[in-house]
Amino acid sequence: GLSVTVKVAPRSRFLVESYPYQDRKEHRDGSLVVKLGVSSEHWLGRLLVRGGADIEVLDGDVSKELRATTARQILARYSR
């Protein structure tokens, strides 16, 4: 499966803390850098949308447009 490394701001740590991780580093400012196993790109897209600017993808085989694409799909579902 995919894996991705993300940096998560302190106030949004709860978004990733319940998921199993392959590696995790905590920084002095309270932010986390976490390497997550990703079950699907759809799941990751939803996580990125929920986290907004608080989640930054540092590394992984992820489209730079994934967050925007997922947000558009979610909006399209609700704007029918």
Side-chain angles (χ1 to χ4, degrees), residues 5-73:
T5 302
V6 294
K7 182 175 183 185
V8 186
R11 68 178 178 212
S12 290
R13 288 172 51 149
F14 72 94
L15 289 172
V16 298
E17 286 185 323
S18 62
Y19 298 116
Y21 57 87
Q22 297 158 353
D23 191 39
R24 173 182 162 139
K25 293 186 187 78
E26 185 163 347
H27 292 270
R28 268 195 204 123
D29 66 359
S31 66
L32 286 180
V33 173
V34 187
K35 183 174 183 181
L36 298 168
V38 177
S39 55
S40 72
E41 202 168 74
H42 176 75
W43 175 86
L44 178 60
R46 291 181 65 87
L47 178 68
L48 295 176
V49 168
R50 283 182 66 198
D54 284 354
I55 297 185
E56 176 188 357
V57 176
L58 300 179
D59 186 40
D61 188 21
V62 179
S63 159
K64 295 250 184 277
E65 300 300 314
L66 180 59
R67 185 189 324 250
T69 302
T70 304
R72 280 195 298 274
Q73 290 168 348

